[in-house]
Amino acid sequence: MVKQGVAAGDHTAYYVVNLLTLFARYDALYESAKPGPGLQPIALLLAAAADSPDRETRNAMLRRAGDTSLFVAGFLGDGFARKLVDVDYYIDMGGAAYGRLSDDVRGTRDGRAFGTVFAELATKFRDFVDVLAEIRDSGKGAAIDVLRVYEVWLRTGSKRAARQLREHGLTPNATLNVATRH
């Protein structure tokens, strides 16, 4: 978080560490389904949450959508190159899930503690993705796929990707960045 310049509350930092611990187990990330385990599309989780009449079930689905999106975008984001769904999908969906969740939990018993955590995760989602990507890459060598970093920067506006490009002698042009035009 220090290297990425992300300031976060203690509860939010603790939540993210717990999320990493949880998803260290394969079965916590992937849904058991036939024909085999896989990730449930985040859009379907959000749709099911919106249709749920039960607040507790809805909030569990929103939390699952936010948590899964954060982990997948941060740790698996490089694997989305030239795929139908890229890292920006997970950033948009995860941020939206945490935003809705922060609104929903405010009126509950746990709302005081978790409402601010989910609100911070929603507003700084892209930054937390960069933090997780930094953790992912901390054990790797210095070689990066500059074209992929550029694609990620174009789609997401990642500060980390911009820094990596500058470190390789490239200056990102903000007028080209899709994320800054919204």
Side-chain angles (χ1 to χ4, degrees):
M1 288 174 59
V2 170
K3 188 170 183 179
Q4 290 304 313
V6 177
D10 290 341
H11 294 299
T12 305
Y14 182 77
Y15 184 89
V16 172
V17 169
N18 280 332
L19 180 136
L20 292 174
T21 304
L22 170 70
F23 285 138
R25 292 186 9 249
Y26 174 86
D27 60 330
L29 178 60
Y30 293 100
E31 307 275 333
S32 295
K34 295 190 185 228
L39 283 173
Q40 182 176 9
I42 302 301
L44 294 180
L45 263 176
L46 291 175
D51 290 342
S52 176
D54 175 8
R55 178 185 232 174
E56 189 173 319
T57 302
R58 179 178 60 245
N59 288 347
M61 289 178 174
L62 289 169
R63 186 173 181 173
R64 174 75 179 173
D67 291 353
T68 301
S69 294
L70 182 56
F71 183 81
V72 168
F75 273 90
L76 308 176
D78 281 353
F80 296 126
R82 293 171 246 319
K83 301 276 194 235
L84 184 59
V85 173
D86 205 338
V87 69
D88 56 329
Y89 164 83
Y90 287 95
I91 290 172
D92 292 343
M93 294 293 176
Y98 281 140
R100 175 69 193 275
L101 185 56
S102 72
D103 293 340
D104 268 8
V105 300
R106 292 203 192 275
T108 67
R109 179 174 37 110
D110 297 329
R112 284 175 290 182
F114 284 107
T116 56
V117 168
F118 295 134
E120 186 169 24
L121 288 169
T123 59
K124 297 178 182 177
F125 196 89
R126 182 174 288 120
D127 295 332
F128 281 107
V129 167
D130 283 347
V131 167
L132 296 189
E134 188 72 34
I135 292 168
R136 176 197 67 211
D137 293 344
S138 65
K140 291 183 179 180
I144 66 166
D145 179 349
V146 177
L147 181 57
R148 175 63 183 154
V149 172
Y150 180 69
E151 288 173 344
V152 167
W153 176 79
L154 278 175
R155 289 174 161 265
T156 68
S158 164
K159 293 175 190 172
R160 178 176 182 271
R163 180 181 47 80
Q164 288 179 312
L165 290 170
R166 284 191 296 277
E167 288 171 357
H168 283 79
L170 302 170
T171 305
N173 182 344
T175 60
L176 299 175
N177 186 286
V178 173
T180 60
R181 286 189 265 157
H182 294 318

